[in-house]
């Protein structure tokens, strides 16, 4: 039986040389995709000094308690003459939010509500004037982005905020990784569709397949469900070949990987010349998990296979802590960085297993604390509805007292923003 860090190393090594292909997409179609290259700004944002407020542009260094309003600039307009002379009096320009601040004479903006207006003259109270400095209420050219600045790094999953930033610097297309193509297959003669209203004795509704398909959709994978194979190795092998022929990059199977009389997946994979890289990992839940390389296709492609136990929480752990690191690698994303929280309750586990427990993360007295929830059995889905995190308890300890720092991971995929 392999330890979890060793299993991750095997998964990481299997991803070498399997970076997904690059395609260029219009910016508006890039939500959820992963940038394949650093995207660098070619321009200044803002493109010019502009007002952050509706108000009056002045030269604050001249300390004008009164100023003649010698012009007006709205957003999208400019001033085409020099208004800096009005007899011997200081001058101001009425200016709207977003309007360009003239490059001559004016060096700050005072909010309209901070002045008194008398005809074509503004009066600036001393308390406002004395605290006004150069650059106040002015958005400087390039204050947000400058030419040569990295806007989005390679390996970034693009969220709406990335789209906004890229649009602001004029990006029309982005080079992104193609999404992984995933085939999903359930096994077990006891498995029936999730929408069956009445169960026959011994039957179980299929909750794992809808979960897997939803989770894959969340992280932007292209997933196809191939149904349920009853305890029939020949049918299993037939569908495996079909998924490979369909060009799957990743194949996920659930069930039939343990030690029962009908757990045929490992032997079936070997019989089609798949290379099983590990079978069984020292974790809880999900110990029987299997990772393999499928036979190479005629086009030279080769799928990897994640075969997970059929219990739903075991499947969730398999996706979150085995499949996701592989997908990160082939998309060119950085490894997930774990975080820590203070454990709220005492917990025991076998000291030779790494445990992934459903948990609730919260703030208490200024610290982040995590509560391991009741109902950790691998068949129990209901505690996940109250969970927002996984607690990851490492192999080197069998008991964790309250107050100790433990590793935590978000309940949902770390690839999802």
């Amino acid at each position: 039986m392999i330890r979890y860090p060793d299993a991750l190393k095997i998964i990481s090594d299997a991803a070498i040389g399997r970076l997904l292909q690059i395609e260029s997409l219009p910016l508006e179609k890039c939500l959820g995709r992963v940038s394949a290259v650093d995207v660098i700004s070619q321009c200044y944002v803002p493109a010019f000094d502009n007002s952050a407020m509706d108000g009056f542009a002045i030269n604050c260094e001249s300390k004008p308690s009164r100023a003649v309003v010698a012009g007006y600039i709205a957003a999208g307009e400019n001033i085409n003459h020099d208004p800096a002379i009005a007899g011997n009096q200081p001058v101001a320009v009425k200016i709207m939010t977003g309007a360009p601040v003239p490059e001559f004479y004016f060096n700050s903006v005072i909010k309209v509500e901070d002045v008194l207006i008398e005809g074509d003259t503004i009066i600036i109270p001393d308390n406002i004037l004395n605290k006004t400095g150069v650059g106040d209420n002015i958005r400087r050219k390039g204050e947000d982005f400058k030419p040569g600045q990295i806007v989005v790094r390679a390996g970034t999953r693009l969220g709406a905020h990335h789209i906004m930033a890229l649009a602001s610097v004029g990006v029309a297309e982005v080079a992104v990784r193609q999404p992984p193509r995933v085939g999903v297959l359930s096994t077990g003669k006891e498995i029936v569709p999730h929408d069956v209203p009445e169960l026959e004795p011994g039957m179980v509704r299929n909750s794992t397949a809808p979960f897997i398909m939803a989770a894959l959709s969340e992280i932007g994978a292209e997933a196809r469900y191939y149904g349920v194979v009853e305890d029939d190795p020949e049918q299993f092998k037939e569908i495996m070949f079909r998924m490979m022929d369909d060009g799957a990059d990743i194949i996920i199977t659930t069930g039939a990987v343990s030690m029962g009389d009908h757990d045929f997946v490992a032997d079936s994979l070997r019989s089609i010349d798949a290379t099983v890289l590990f079978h069984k990992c020292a974790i809880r839940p999900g110990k029987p998990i299997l990772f393999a390389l499928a036979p190479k296709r005629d086009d030279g492609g080769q799928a990897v296979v994640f075969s997970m136990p059929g219990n739903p929480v075991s499947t969730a752990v398999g996706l979150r802590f085995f499949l996701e690191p592989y997908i990160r690698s082939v998309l060119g994303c950085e490894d997930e960085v774990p975080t820590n929280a203070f454990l709220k309750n005492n917990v025991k586990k076998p000291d030779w297993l790494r445990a992934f427990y459903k948990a609730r993360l919260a703030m208490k007295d200024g610290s982040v604390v995590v509560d391991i929830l009741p109902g950790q059995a691998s068949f129990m889905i209901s505690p996940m509805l109250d969970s927002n995190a996984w607690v990851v308890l490492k192999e080197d300890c069998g008991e964790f007292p309250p107050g100790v720092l433990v590793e935590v991971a978000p309940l949902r995929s770390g690839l999802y923003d």
Side-chain angles (χ1 to χ4, degrees):
M1 186 182 304
I2 197 168
R3 287 165 60 95
Y4 179 68
D6 298 326
L8 276 190
K9 176 66 166 56
I10 291 172
I11 290 170
S12 176
D13 288 347
I16 294 172
R18 295 173 186 268
L19 275 173
L20 295 168
Q21 294 297 308
I22 298 173
E23 60 182 341
S24 290
L25 291 180
L27 180 62
E28 60 271 19
K29 294 186 177 180
C30 287
L31 182 66
R33 301 296 288 271
V34 173
S35 174
V37 297
D38 291 345
V39 183
I40 298 172
S41 175
Q42 304 297 322
C43 62
Y44 290 96
V45 179
F48 49 86
D49 290 354
N50 67 91
S51 179
M53 297 286 176
D54 296 330
F56 295 89
I58 65 167
N59 185 314
C60 66
E61 293 175 311
S62 67
K63 296 295 182 183
S65 58
R66 300 173 67 91
V68 174
V69 179
Y72 174 88
I73 315 174
E77 298 179 352
N78 210 332
I79 195 163
N80 298 316
H81 64 283
D82 185 345
I85 300 173
N88 294 321
Q89 297 186 65
V91 297
V93 169
K94 191 171 186 180
I95 193 166
M96 299 294 102
T97 301
V101 177
E103 295 179 359
F104 44 82
Y105 185 73
F106 303 101
N107 58 19
S108 63
V109 172
I110 292 183
K111 293 184 286 186
V112 66
E113 58 265 34
D114 287 340
V115 303
L116 301 174
I117 301 174
E118 292 184 353
D120 63 355
T121 300
I122 59 170
I123 301 170
I124 307 171
D126 289 344
N127 65 316
I128 299 297
L129 190 61
N130 292 336
K131 68 179 183 181
T132 299
V134 173
D136 282 4
N137 298 320
I138 294 177
R139 304 160 176 160
R140 291 300 188 188
K141 177 181 178 179
E143 189 175 344
D144 203 5
F145 296 107
K146 295 179 175 63
Q149 180 178 343
I150 295 176
V151 182
V152 169
R153 294 192 178 276
T156 300
R157 180 177 164 88
L158 300 176
H161 54 303
H162 299 110
I163 301 298
M164 178 167 59
L166 294 169
S168 75
V169 298
V171 170
E173 290 189 341
V174 183
V176 295
R177 295 284 173 192
Q178 292 181 352
R181 296 164 296 181
V182 187
V184 180
L185 177 64
S186 305
T187 72
K189 64 181 180 181
E190 78 280 14
I191 300 299
V192 297
H194 67 276
D195 55 356
V196 169
E198 297 292 336
L199 290 178
E200 297 291 333
M203 297 295 103
V204 177
R205 291 188 182 92
N206 190 347
S207 61
T208 56
F211 165 77
I212 292 170
M213 297 298 288
L216 292 171
S217 177
E218 272 193 332
I219 62 175
E222 291 182 355
R224 178 178 172 185
Y225 183 51
Y226 286 79
V228 179
V229 171
E230 295 190 4
D231 299 331
D232 183 341
E234 294 307 314
Q235 186 186 12
F236 175 83
K237 289 186 280 188
E238 177 187 330
I239 298 178
M240 285 292 299
F241 282 120
R242 190 190 314 163
M243 288 191 281
M244 290 184 274
D245 290 343
D246 289 342
D249 302 304
I250 300 167
I251 292 171
I252 299 172
T253 72
T254 59
V257 286
S258 191
M259 299 295 292
D261 292 345
H262 301 285
D263 291 328
F264 58 85
V265 165
D267 289 340
S268 295
L269 288 171
R270 291 186 179 98
S271 74
I272 62 171
D273 295 326
T275 303
V276 176
L277 299 178
F278 66 79
H279 184 194
K280 297 183 184 177
C281 184
I283 61 170
R284 174 175 288 179
K287 185 167 61 175
I289 190 168
L290 179 151
F291 179 62
L293 301 180
K296 285 192 176 181
R297 302 191 299 263
D298 291 340
D299 64 3
Q302 186 178 34
V304 296
V305 182
F306 290 86
S307 292
M308 303 175 188
N311 279 321
V313 182
S314 297
T315 297
V317 167
L319 260 66
R320 184 67 179 82
F321 296 101
F322 290 79
L323 174 68
E324 183 180 316
Y326 179 82
I327 290 180
R328 281 181 175 274
S329 294
V330 297
L331 285 173
C333 300
E334 293 184 357
D335 293 340
E336 186 173 7
V337 178
T339 56
N340 295 298
F342 293 101
L343 188 61
K344 183 177 178 182
N345 45 354
N346 187 75
V347 63
K348 296 181 180 180
K349 69 163 187 65
D351 58 9
W352 53 279
L353 291 179
R354 181 168 298 214
F356 301 93
Y357 286 154
K358 297 159 276 192
R360 185 77 191 173
L361 201 65
M363 289 291 297
K364 183 178 180 182
D365 300 327
S367 297
V368 182
V369 297
V370 65
D371 184 12
I372 293 178
L373 300 178
Q376 292 298 328
S378 60
F379 75 93
M380 292 192 68
I381 302 170
S382 57
M384 295 186 72
L385 302 178
D386 296 320
S387 302
N388 59 7
W390 297 99
V391 165
V392 182
L393 302 177
K394 295 185 178 180
E395 299 88 344
D396 55 1
C397 186
E399 184 170 3
F400 295 80
V404 70
L405 272 176
V406 293
E407 185 178 317
V408 296
L411 183 71
R412 300 171 71 201
S413 169
L415 281 168
Y416 182 79
D417 282 331

